[in-house]
Amino acid sequence: MTVIQSLTSHERTRWPRSLVALVIARAVNRTGSFAMAFMAVALVEVHGASLTTAGAVVTAFGAATIPSRLLGGWMADTVGRRPTIVTGLVACAAAQLVIAASPGIAGALVGATLLGLAYEIYEPASQALIAESVDVELRPQAYGLYGAAMAVAGVAAGALAALVGGVDLRLLFVADAITCLCAAGLVLALVRDTGARVTGTRRHGRNPWRDRRLLTMLALGTGFATAWILSTIALPLTVSARGHGAAETGWLLVVAALVTIAGQRLLRGAAARPFTLIRTGLLIMATGFAVIAYAAPLPLLAVGVAIVALGEVLLLGPPIALVAGLASDASRAGYLAAYGTCWGIAQTIGPLLATGLMSHGVPMVWLAGGGLCLALALVTAPVAAVCSPRRLGSPR
């Protein structure tokens, strides 16, 4: 394979050009993707919306990401990986500019819905490219590297948000649009499309919605994604309730990013034992949730956040690699798109669930999230019996 550079992992692996380019492009895009976190704030402060109205707009965005993911999978298996990625990024940029230029709430709602419809087009194609760019045994590590790059970019995003948001909240969406276009340019320049070699056999691809292995993984993934969304929504609220400021939340996110990077070493050999890692990750997350539920001092909160981040390392790469291995080349993006709807579902129900639980006290949301993780850990054995292929990457 052509190699643009040697990315060094814990195994001194030389990653192929397409993966390197995707990681860089995703990091660039992630650096600007902080805008959605400020959507509700912008609606309230710029357009005078009520909290209920702002919540409805954000919910519309979350619901729109579900068909977006499915559209991205269909496009990736039909027209190719690279055109789909570029189309999704350009569409995101256009929707962000609609939000930024909107004179009122109605325009912001249209922009948010359009953004949701474009937001996930990128993911199935990029995940399929990763699976097709590396050997089967390296897929969990490759997806982990992808996640680590996003974590690092997330820290940079926080700093950029603080800088730009202090001037005008609408500039956040302009900045995000710019990063989308920059990422699209990187993909056009550096990524080799693997989709061309599967489009001729596309009609022979399996329907993921008729594959009980995929549906079982989707149920497990939806549970994990919901727990993740609960923690994302609850963390800044918890930090505030414990008497700390917004800056402390930023430092906790830095801790999580550093743990995500360091934890990539745990993915060595993950292809041979995906469900062992998934179960371990869920148990670790449950432990971290329990710590945060009753932690008041910032150092103890940091310990809880670090534990949760360590569990998430084991829950991002292995499941995606396993789903990629359930499909043939002709249907891989479709499978990944179907699995990825778990995030849209969680993003739609998670915020309402988190705020509802928080109304009963800070510990409640964390204990509920921990209980969900424990319940999911208990069912990993029967899930493994249904979903484990004889060899990861070789569909039965």
Side-chain angles (χ1 to χ4, degrees):
M1 288 185 182
T2 304
V3 179
I4 190 173
Q5 69 182 77
S6 176
L7 283 184
T8 304
S9 72
H10 55 274
E11 293 187 66
R12 301 291 179 182
T13 302
R14 289 175 61 85
W15 298 110
R17 168 181 170 169
S18 291
L19 176 60
V20 174
L22 282 172
V23 167
I24 296 172
R26 191 53 167 149
V28 170
N29 183 223
R30 172 65 174 170
T31 301
S33 65
F34 49 76
M36 279 311 301
F38 292 86
M39 170 67 82
V41 178
L43 288 169
V44 172
E45 294 189 4
V46 176
H47 299 299
S50 67
L51 289 174
T52 301
T53 300
V57 173
V58 175
T59 299
F61 163 81
T65 62
I66 298 175
S68 172
R69 176 81 68 152
L70 298 175
L71 174 62
W74 176 81
M75 289 178 61
D77 281 337
T78 303
V79 301
R81 314 314 194 202
R82 188 172 69 165
T84 300
I85 292 172
V86 173
T87 299
L89 289 170
V90 172
C92 280
Q96 295 276 12
L97 293 177
V98 169
I99 296 172
S102 173
I105 298 172
L109 173 60
V110 171
T113 304
L114 290 174
L115 181 59
L117 291 172
Y119 202 74
E120 297 289 345
I121 291 176
Y122 179 106
E123 287 295 341
S126 62
Q127 291 173 354
L129 263 175
I130 291 172
E132 293 155 4
S133 298
V134 299
D135 293 336
V136 170
E137 292 75 14
L138 293 178
R139 282 178 185 169
Q141 295 169 260
Y143 288 120
L145 178 65
Y146 194 62
M150 291 177 63
V152 174
V155 177
L160 186 56
L163 177 64
V164 177
V167 179
D168 188 331
L169 287 173
R170 286 172 293 190
L171 291 178
L172 296 173
F173 299 98
V174 176
D176 198 352
I178 292 172
T179 62
C180 285
L181 295 176
C182 291
L186 287 171
V187 172
L188 278 174
L190 301 175
V191 172
R192 178 179 60 84
D193 196 352
T194 61
R197 66 185 176 84
V198 303
T199 53
T201 59
R202 175 172 50 87
R203 62 184 180 273
H204 301 298
R206 296 185 63 180
N207 185 338
W209 302 108
R210 296 179 180 177
D211 190 331
R212 70 188 184 108
R213 300 171 303 164
L214 185 280
L215 296 178
T216 303
M217 285 299 300
L218 174 59
L220 183 67
T222 300
F224 158 65
T226 300
W228 188 89
I229 292 293
L230 287 178
S231 67
T232 300
I233 299 297
L235 182 61
L237 297 173
T238 300
V239 172
S240 177
R242 300 283 159 80
H244 306 293
E248 279 71 19
T249 300
W251 283 114
L252 292 177
L253 295 178
V254 170
V255 169
L258 293 175
V259 171
T260 299
I261 297 167
Q264 297 306 306
R265 292 177 176 271
L266 299 177
L267 295 178
R268 180 182 296 144
R273 50 193 177 98
F275 284 101
T276 298
L277 292 182
I278 291 171
R279 184 183 305 111
T280 302
L282 288 166
L283 293 174
I284 292 174
M285 275 191 70
T287 302
F289 281 15
V291 172
I292 297 174
Y294 297 103
L298 190 63
L300 190 55
L301 281 169
V303 170
V305 168
I307 294 172
V308 171
L310 186 62
E312 290 173 352
V313 169
L314 305 181
L315 288 164
L316 289 173
I320 299 175
L322 195 148
V323 170
L326 296 179
S328 65
D329 287 345
S331 57
R332 181 165 291 117
Y335 266 66
L336 291 166
Y339 174 75
T341 59
C342 66
W343 291 100
I345 296 170
Q347 199 163 19
T348 302
I349 66 175
L352 296 176
L353 182 60
T355 53
L357 290 169
M358 286 287 288
S359 67
H360 297 286
V362 170
M364 183 61 67
V365 66
W366 296 103
L367 294 178
L372 176 58
C373 290
L374 290 176
L376 294 172
L378 290 175
V379 302
T380 51
V383 170
V386 173
C387 300
S388 291
R390 293 185 179 90
R391 178 175 180 269
L392 191 60
S394 301
R396 284 185 285 195

